[in-house]
Amino acid sequence: MTEPLTLAEIEALARTAHEGQTDKAGRPYAEHLQAVAEGVRTRGGDADQIAAAWLHDAVEDDALSEQWLTEAALSRRTKDVVRAVTKRAGEPPETYAARILATPGALLVKEADLAHNADPARLAVLDEPTRKRLTEKYARMRTLLGLVGE
């Protein structure tokens, strides 16, 4: 078995995988990954969860393949969390939320992701219809996950 990747290596890998991608506001995508990883850290997440935060959108955004994830020198728990928070095409939000809730460690990562996605400063730069649609989408997911406040 090869040595597991360090958090610094995972961060570098995620930054490279998402190179050139931007978020809905046109900001470099790595800023979102860093914010989610930091959100996991400040919420008391462990190294597996912080690693998953860096990689949480990699498979969904086709930045890295499912095969890469399977073969990567990552803990089983990190891989499970990444898979849990990876949305699948045509998947109902209820199914997605149930998978997150059923996977140890995944809820904290999704909570940090939603918190950054719903950040008023990030949403403020979007047009009104997009801002309204995303605000409702994030609120619905928080409800499905049983997250209140924040």
Side-chain angles (χ1 to χ4, degrees), residues 3-11 73:
E3 283 291 308
L5 294 167
T6 66
L7 280 175
E9 289 168 329
I10 292 165
E11 174 183 344

PDB file of all heavy atoms in Angstrom, residues 3-11 73:
ATOM      1  N   GLU A   3       1.868   5.200   0.563  1.00  0.00           N
ATOM      2  CA  GLU A   3       1.601   6.150   1.646  1.00  0.00           C
ATOM      3  C   GLU A   3       0.362   6.974   1.307  1.00  0.00           C
ATOM      4  O   GLU A   3       0.203   7.395   0.158  1.00  0.00           O
ATOM      5  CB  GLU A   3       2.796   7.113   1.799  1.00  0.00           C
ATOM      6  CG  GLU A   3       3.977   6.514   2.511  1.00  0.00           C
ATOM      7  CD  GLU A   3       3.690   6.260   3.973  1.00  0.00           C
ATOM      8  OE1 GLU A   3       3.245   7.179   4.679  1.00  0.00           O
ATOM      9  OE2 GLU A   3       3.884   5.105   4.409  1.00  0.00           O
ATOM     10  N   PRO A   4      -0.481   7.219   2.306  1.00  0.00           N
ATOM     11  CA  PRO A   4      -1.652   8.061   2.019  1.00  0.00           C
ATOM     12  C   PRO A   4      -1.214   9.492   1.676  1.00  0.00           C
ATOM     13  O   PRO A   4      -0.196   9.967   2.173  1.00  0.00           O
ATOM     14  CB  PRO A   4      -2.455   8.030   3.322  1.00  0.00           C
ATOM     15  CG  PRO A   4      -1.597   7.410   4.349  1.00  0.00           C
ATOM     16  CD  PRO A   4      -0.447   6.737   3.675  1.00  0.00           C
ATOM     17  N   LEU A   5      -1.981  10.136   0.823  1.00  0.00           N
ATOM     18  CA  LEU A   5      -1.706  11.524   0.464  1.00  0.00           C
ATOM     19  C   LEU A   5      -1.850  12.409   1.697  1.00  0.00           C
ATOM     20  O   LEU A   5      -2.749  12.198   2.521  1.00  0.00           O
ATOM     21  CB  LEU A   5      -2.693  11.996  -0.608  1.00  0.00           C
ATOM     22  CG  LEU A   5      -2.577  11.325  -1.976  1.00  0.00           C
ATOM     23  CD1 LEU A   5      -3.801  11.647  -2.828  1.00  0.00           C
ATOM     24  CD2 LEU A   5      -1.300  11.750  -2.682  1.00  0.00           C
ATOM     25  N   THR A   6      -0.990  13.406   1.823  1.00  0.00           N
ATOM     26  CA  THR A   6      -1.110  14.378   2.910  1.00  0.00           C
ATOM     27  C   THR A   6      -2.170  15.410   2.542  1.00  0.00           C
ATOM     28  O   THR A   6      -2.535  15.537   1.364  1.00  0.00           O
ATOM     29  CB  THR A   6       0.224  15.111   3.146  1.00  0.00           C
ATOM     30  OG1 THR A   6       0.513  15.897   1.979  1.00  0.00           O
ATOM     31  CG2 THR A   6       1.373  14.126   3.421  1.00  0.00           C
ATOM     32  N   LEU A   7      -2.630  16.161   3.529  1.00  0.00           N
ATOM     33  CA  LEU A   7      -3.609  17.216   3.237  1.00  0.00           C
ATOM     34  C   LEU A   7      -3.031  18.243   2.262  1.00  0.00           C
ATOM     35  O   LEU A   7      -3.737  18.724   1.377  1.00  0.00           O
ATOM     36  CB  LEU A   7      -4.084  17.893   4.522  1.00  0.00           C
ATOM     37  CG  LEU A   7      -5.155  17.147   5.300  1.00  0.00           C
ATOM     38  CD1 LEU A   7      -5.467  17.857   6.612  1.00  0.00           C
ATOM     39  CD2 LEU A   7      -6.426  16.988   4.481  1.00  0.00           C
ATOM     40  N   ALA A   8      -1.742  18.561   2.400  1.00  0.00           N
ATOM     41  CA  ALA A   8      -1.108  19.512   1.477  1.00  0.00           C
ATOM     42  C   ALA A   8      -1.109  18.957   0.049  1.00  0.00           C
ATOM     43  O   ALA A   8      -1.359  19.697  -0.913  1.00  0.00           O
ATOM     44  CB  ALA A   8       0.310  19.831   1.934  1.00  0.00           C
ATOM     45  N   GLU A   9      -0.843  17.663  -0.094  1.00  0.00           N
ATOM     46  CA  GLU A   9      -0.867  17.040  -1.421  1.00  0.00           C
ATOM     47  C   GLU A   9      -2.283  17.015  -1.990  1.00  0.00           C
ATOM     48  O   GLU A   9      -2.491  17.255  -3.189  1.00  0.00           O
ATOM     49  CB  GLU A   9      -0.312  15.611  -1.350  1.00  0.00           C
ATOM     50  CG  GLU A   9       1.194  15.556  -1.099  1.00  0.00           C
ATOM     51  CD  GLU A   9       1.695  14.165  -0.750  1.00  0.00           C
ATOM     52  OE1 GLU A   9       0.944  13.369  -0.133  1.00  0.00           O
ATOM     53  OE2 GLU A   9       2.854  13.874  -1.085  1.00  0.00           O
ATOM     54  N   ILE A  10      -3.261  16.740  -1.128  1.00  0.00           N
ATOM     55  CA  ILE A  10      -4.663  16.716  -1.571  1.00  0.00           C
ATOM     56  C   ILE A  10      -5.105  18.112  -2.008  1.00  0.00           C
ATOM     57  O   ILE A  10      -5.745  18.271  -3.048  1.00  0.00           O
ATOM     58  CB  ILE A  10      -5.576  16.143  -0.459  1.00  0.00           C
ATOM     59  CG1 ILE A  10      -5.260  14.661  -0.272  1.00  0.00           C
ATOM     60  CG2 ILE A  10      -7.047  16.370  -0.779  1.00  0.00           C
ATOM     61  CD1 ILE A  10      -5.809  14.066   1.006  1.00  0.00           C
ATOM     62  N   GLU A  11      -4.729  19.121  -1.225  1.00  0.00           N
ATOM     63  CA  GLU A  11      -5.061  20.500  -1.601  1.00  0.00           C
ATOM     64  C   GLU A  11      -4.454  20.839  -2.965  1.00  0.00           C
ATOM     65  O   GLU A  11      -5.148  21.365  -3.846  1.00  0.00           O
ATOM     66  CB  GLU A  11      -4.551  21.484  -0.547  1.00  0.00           C
ATOM     67  CG  GLU A  11      -4.751  22.932  -0.961  1.00  0.00           C
ATOM     68  CD  GLU A  11      -4.198  23.951   0.028  1.00  0.00           C
ATOM     69  OE1 GLU A  11      -3.908  23.600   1.183  1.00  0.00           O
ATOM     70  OE2 GLU A  11      -4.064  25.127  -0.384  1.00  0.00           O
ATOM     71  N   ALA A  73      -4.628   7.233  -3.114  1.00  0.00           N
ATOM     72  CA  ALA A  73      -4.103   6.885  -1.794  1.00  0.00           C
ATOM     73  C   ALA A  73      -4.782   7.765  -0.740  1.00  0.00           C
ATOM     74  O   ALA A  73      -4.191   8.664  -0.149  1.00  0.00           O
ATOM     75  CB  ALA A  73      -2.585   7.064  -1.768  1.00  0.00           C
TER      76      ALA A  73
END
